[in-house]
Amino acid sequence: MENETVSKNFIEQFIDEDLAEGKYKEVVTRFPPEPNGYLHIGHAKSILLNSGLAQKYGGRFNLRFDDTNPTKEKTEYVQSIIEDVKWLGADFEDRLFFASDYFDQMYEAAVKLIKKGKAFVCDLTPDQIREYRGTLTEPGKNSPYRDRSIEENLDLFERMKNGEFEDGSKVLRAKIDMASPNMNMRDPILYRVARINHHNTGDKWCIYPMYDFAHPIEDAIEGVSHSICTLEFEDHRPLYDWVVRELEYETPPRQIEFAKMYLTNVITGKRYIKRLVEEGIVDGWDDPRLVTLSALRRRGFTPESIKMFMEMVGVSKANSSVDYAMLEYCIREDLKLKKARMMAVLDPVKVIITNYEEGKMEYLDAPNNLENEELGSRKIPFCRELYIDRDDFMIDPPKKYFRLYPGNEVRLMNAYFVTCTDYKTDEEGNVTEIYCTYDPETKSGSGFTGRKVKGTIHWVAAPYAKKAEVRLYENIVDEAKGVYNEDGSLNLNPNSLTVLKDCYVEPELAKAKPGDSFQFVRKGFFCVDTKDSTEENLVYNRIVSLKSSFKPNK
């Protein structure tokens, strides 16, 4: 039992204390995104943390949209968020909610505060409110409208709701303490007038609650026990507690903050991603160069790899940055034993085996994954004309080059030994054809032990291989210069996408469905693009290369 306690993070320790003291009968958590953009890798930490806690304690997990700011919100974003949360495996079935579902209750809550003398309608302009607010070192001043009577405030607030006042002309403010050292407690705004069409409620409302007022009410209505959020809300906790206390909820939620996860050399800001999308620099919020969850899914990352990554990052109270290489390590670890290792030639040059019978074709056995025999084997066609990768042949190689060159013998993977006898070049000196002979006694799996070769290269049979487009991705920002320039603009990497049009893959790979992934021998892990790939025009995205710069702590 002692070891179990030590291994728990600080949030779990708080929950254990609350349950032991009988504060809550069950653990209820939530993920409360604002539908103003697509989710990114940072949000995955909150989703998995909240849903994981609910699962661990046998409680409930809610997905709730904090849609209190209709100026930036779209149904498109709502649908993408639902898809992302489902993809990560967070179970919110029958527990999908919207803050806008509670607008009537929030209005009544505001009326209750007015009746208690805890809220007032203020006519100050936004600039005046800022001026009256004071500074970090100087207290603020009370609004001249702070002492309006309860009856006048109730009348004005109802008239705000009925649309009698211009946008921005009046706000409802909490009456707390203009001298508070916490700026969030200096009579914060609870409601503002805004004639904006809402994606969920249409034109029913012309006043909308502020997030700091709406959020604790939503949590309390849903019976959330632990409102787990990131550190920037730590200074907002006194206001959160004030709202649920003044509204006299029987079992108020407890807010607990944890550190955000910052990933090095990636773009997570919605404003920047939106600009990349609108300017056509990327082909949408799901462009595989981004780290939105839809982009990672399209690139070929798995929910399991994201969960592994979050477990390695852990939960803490201190902000820190994590190397993107750790995320790449996790997807390699997840895929290496699950996926077949197939042959694909990305920069093809033709090989002709001159002593192999013309018109003949044979099927050879190839294991799908040498580290996981359960994946079985497949048949691959072999014939006189093949494609190999251009960098697997050199006319005048350096020392310790063990691949194909004139006079050298290598093994064709899962096939035969071949020896280069000649080659042909074009006018620019580029190799166009390589000529070899093969030794039929050296067939893979035959038990041949007559001699050994140092090099093994992969290949595909030219008449049977399928043409494909392969997309190679690098970081969309220039890692050497950092993400942002001094003026706030992005340092974009001009080589973030390389498109190879004339690649050839094994015929088996042509049968793959969008989203299917494989290891291409010596090239990395790849998946069929879910957006652009068709049966006629195959498109493969590189998920990650095989080499890793990240070394996990053992």
Side-chain angles (χ1 to χ4, degrees):
M1 288 297 293
E2 188 174 337
N3 289 337
E4 182 184 346
T5 303
V6 170
S7 67
K8 290 188 174 183
N9 62 51
F10 72 95
I11 296 176
E12 292 168 337
Q13 291 172 13
F14 284 149
I15 292 174
D16 286 346
E17 292 170 6
D18 291 342
L19 293 175
E21 293 172 8
K23 288 183 179 179
Y24 307 104
K25 293 180 180 178
E26 67 172 336
V27 172
V28 181
T29 62
R30 82 292 170 269
F31 174 62
E34 183 182 354
N36 61 357
Y38 282 56
L39 301 182
H40 57 68
I41 185 67
H43 294 110
K45 182 174 183 179
S46 182
I47 295 167
L48 293 171
L49 175 59
N50 279 283
S51 63
L53 288 168
Q55 184 178 29
K56 181 171 185 175
Y57 287 93
R60 292 177 287 139
F61 167 71
N62 299 343
L63 172 59
R64 181 186 67 238
F65 288 94
D66 264 319
D67 55 346
T68 57
N69 185 13
T71 56
K72 299 179 180 179
E73 297 163 0
K74 293 182 182 179
T75 302
E76 172 194 351
Y77 301 146
V78 170
Q79 295 304 319
S80 74
I81 290 169
I82 290 173
E83 187 177 353
D84 288 341
V85 177
K86 283 182 177 178
W87 176 67
L88 282 176
D91 179 17
F92 61 92
E93 191 171 351
D94 301 324
R95 291 187 299 280
L96 174 62
F97 304 109
F98 291 84
S100 52
D101 294 337
Y102 313 131
F103 279 173
D104 288 298
Q105 290 153 284
M106 291 176 193
Y107 179 79
E108 292 303 321
V111 169
K112 182 174 183 175
L113 291 179
I114 294 172
K115 289 179 177 179
K116 290 180 69 174
K118 297 291 184 177
F120 68 98
V121 174
C122 182
D123 295 1
L124 292 178
T125 66
D127 287 340
Q128 289 171 328
I129 290 175
R130 279 190 290 272
E131 181 186 340
Y132 273 61
R133 197 180 184 201
T135 67
L136 292 172
T137 56
E138 296 179 355
K141 296 185 299 181
N142 286 347
S143 164
Y145 306 99
R146 197 175 196 264
D147 295 325
R148 278 174 163 158
S149 69
I150 289 174
E151 291 73 20
E152 185 181 4
N153 282 318
L154 288 172
D155 174 64
L156 288 171
F157 188 53
E158 183 176 6
R159 290 168 64 191
M160 284 171 62
K161 175 177 75 78
N162 294 338
E164 295 185 25
F165 304 115
E166 293 297 317
D167 289 11
S169 61
K170 294 185 189 301
V171 293
L172 181 72
R173 296 175 67 182
K175 191 185 292 187
I176 307 180
D177 181 7
M178 290 301 292
S180 171
N182 186 330
M183 301 288 279
N184 296 296
M185 301 297 280
R186 295 184 184 180
D187 292 5
I189 297 172
L190 306 182
Y191 264 92
R192 78 277 195 198
V193 180
R195 289 171 177 77
I196 307 166
N197 183 272
H198 191 283
H199 72 93
N200 200 20
T201 60
D203 294 322
K204 178 181 177 181
W205 295 91
C206 62
I207 58 170
Y208 290 99
M210 302 299 288
Y211 177 86
D212 278 346
F213 178 63
H215 189 78
I217 294 174
E218 297 155 26
D219 284 346
I221 290 172
E222 293 175 13
V224 168
S225 61
H226 297 87
S227 181
I228 298 162
C229 53
T230 46
L231 278 178
E232 70 262 35
F233 293 101
E234 189 171 29
D235 289 340
H236 297 247
R237 193 197 319 148
L239 179 54
Y240 183 101
D241 293 341
W242 182 90
V243 171
V244 294
R245 182 175 64 250
E246 293 297 336
L247 292 175
E248 302 170 40
Y249 288 107
E250 188 175 343
T251 309
R254 176 180 183 177
Q255 178 175 307
I256 304 172
E257 305 85 20
F258 68 97
K260 270 186 176 180
M261 184 200 67
Y262 294 96
L263 206 56
T264 58
N265 293 315
V266 300
I267 302 168
T268 54
K270 291 176 183 176
R271 179 166 58 95
Y272 287 106
I273 296 175
K274 188 177 181 183
R275 189 195 306 172
L276 292 174
V277 173
E278 291 176 347
E279 293 179 4
I281 296 169
V282 296
D283 75 346
W285 288 82
D286 63 350
D287 187 295
R289 289 169 289 179
L290 301 174
V291 289
T292 59
L293 293 182
S294 57
L296 290 169
R297 182 165 65 250
R298 180 180 170 193
R299 183 158 173 174
F301 280 77
T302 62
E304 292 80 7
S305 67
I306 304 294
K307 290 174 185 175
M308 184 192 306
F309 176 61
M310 295 307 169
E311 287 171 1
M312 293 179 71
V313 170
V315 179
S316 72
K317 287 283 286 185
N319 286 324
S320 60
S321 294
V322 181
D323 195 333
Y324 184 79
M326 183 192 288
L327 180 60
E328 293 183 318
Y329 167 82
C330 291
I331 186 62
R332 286 190 195 95
E333 286 296 297
D334 184 51
L335 296 181
K336 70 180 183 181
L337 296 180
K338 292 180 179 178
K339 301 301 176 180
R341 298 176 182 178
M342 315 289 279
M343 294 193 287
V345 175
L346 307 191
D347 186 11
V349 60
K350 184 170 281 189
V351 171
I352 300 173
I353 303 174
T354 55
N355 63 333
Y356 196 90
E357 182 181 339
E358 289 193 47
K360 178 184 175 183
M361 187 274 281
E362 61 179 308
Y363 280 103
L364 303 175
D365 290 316
N368 286 328
N369 189 321
L370 289 172
E371 294 182 71
N372 183 1
E373 293 182 0
E374 291 182 7
L375 292 184
S377 62
R378 66 191 185 282
K379 299 286 187 181
I380 51 175
F382 183 84
C383 60
R384 177 184 171 88
E385 294 188 1
L386 314 172
Y387 289 121
I388 67 169
D389 264 306
R390 189 170 295 277
D391 62 5
D392 282 338
F393 175 80
M394 293 187 74
I395 297 172
D396 186 17
K399 289 183 178 181
K400 295 188 178 180
Y401 181 86
F402 299 124
R403 284 170 274 174
L404 199 59
Y405 56 87
N408 191 42
E409 185 176 49
V410 299
R411 174 179 288 283
L412 295 176
M413 185 174 287
N414 304 308
Y416 299 95
F417 289 9
V418 294
T419 302
C420 176
T421 58
D422 202 358
Y423 60 91
K424 184 188 292 185
T425 60
D426 61 18
E427 293 179 356
E428 285 78 36
N430 299 308
V431 176
T432 56
E433 287 184 351
I434 301 165
Y435 302 96
C436 294
T437 58
Y438 89 114
D439 182 348
E441 300 297 321
T442 60
K443 186 175 181 178
S444 183
S446 66
F448 175 78
T449 58
R451 61 187 181 280
K452 292 184 178 180
V453 291
K454 291 186 176 180
T456 299
I457 62 176
H458 64 281
W459 52 276
V460 293
Y464 306 99
K466 301 300 179 182
K467 198 170 185 179
E469 176 182 312
V470 173
R471 298 171 180 175
L472 307 178
Y473 296 103
E474 294 180 12
N475 201 323
I476 196 168
V477 297
D478 189 329
E479 296 183 34
K481 297 179 180 177
V483 178
Y484 305 107
N485 292 308
E486 289 185 5
D487 62 1
S489 61
L490 295 168
N491 276 317
L492 295 177
N493 175 10
N495 302 313
S496 61
L497 171 63
T498 301
V499 179
L500 306 176
K501 292 284 190 180
D502 299 315
C503 305
Y504 289 93
V505 300
E506 284 186 40
E508 280 291 311
L509 287 169
K511 302 175 185 177
K513 297 176 182 177
D516 287 351
S517 55
F518 307 87
Q519 184 185 138
F520 287 178
V521 172
R522 290 176 41 218
K523 299 298 180 182
F525 291 97
F526 292 75
C527 77
V528 183
D529 187 71
T530 54
K531 196 171 185 176
D532 299 331
S533 189
T534 64
E535 289 184 11
E536 297 76 27
N537 297 290
L538 285 174
V539 178
Y540 274 90
N541 299 327
R542 184 169 65 186
I543 307 169
V544 66
S545 64
L546 296 177
K547 293 182 180 179
S548 175
S549 60
F550 175 76
K551 302 296 182 185
N553 294 324
K554 298 297 184 182

